[in-house]
Amino acid sequence: MDTTSPAAAPRFSIDCPSRPILDQISDKWSMMTMEVLEQPTRFNEIKRQLDGVTQRVLTQTLRRLERNGLIRRRVLETSPVGVEYSLTPLGESFRGPFICLLRWTIEHSAEVVTAQHEYDERSSAR
């Protein structure tokens, strides 16, 4: 009787379609941008609400979210021309799970920071 078990197959294969999507929607700027877009919002207002984001990074983030179908870009016929961003129905459906993750992060951030400090102290003592 063979008691060895076959090697477990990877749970997420290298060509799993979820990998690039998770990579594109789960970075900090994408998640914070999705939170800011509770209503249609112009570029500069999004930038003002995301302290520390550069114009270049915000532009890349918005393009990536638009490409993934989570937000919509609308050119406003104003003088000067403005651009407004809003969530698509797909983006709205993402807000539910995202808000849970955001709340968890806020509620547990002190615990995570404490764990990081404890780890760093243990690591530096090695």
Side-chain angles (χ1 to χ4, degrees), residues 2-69:
D2 184 10
T3 58
T4 60
S5 61
R11 293 181 79 176
F12 296 97
S13 66
I14 198 160
D15 59 348
C16 179
S18 68
R19 283 184 173 198
I21 295 169
L22 285 170
D23 185 47
Q24 292 173 10
I25 65 173
S26 64
D27 69 278
K28 69 179 179 185
W29 294 121
S30 293
M31 298 191 86
M32 286 189 261
T33 299
M34 293 290 292
E35 173 61 14
V36 168
L37 291 175
E38 292 176 295
Q39 60 188 12
T41 309
R42 292 177 82 152
F43 181 92
N44 286 331
E45 180 57 26
I46 296 169
K47 189 170 181 326
R48 275 192 289 277
Q49 292 188 48
L50 300 177
D51 193 24
V53 70
T54 64
Q55 183 163 338
R56 179 178 175 268
V57 168
L58 181 55
T59 298
Q60 291 171 339
T61 299
L62 290 166
R63 285 180 182 159
R64 190 171 51 249
L65 291 170
E66 183 181 11
R67 181 173 182 262
N68 286 308

Side-chain angles (χ1 to χ4, degrees), residues 74-83:
R74 186 175 78 131
V75 177
L76 304 172
E77 308 232 356
T78 57
S79 181
V81 173
V83 178

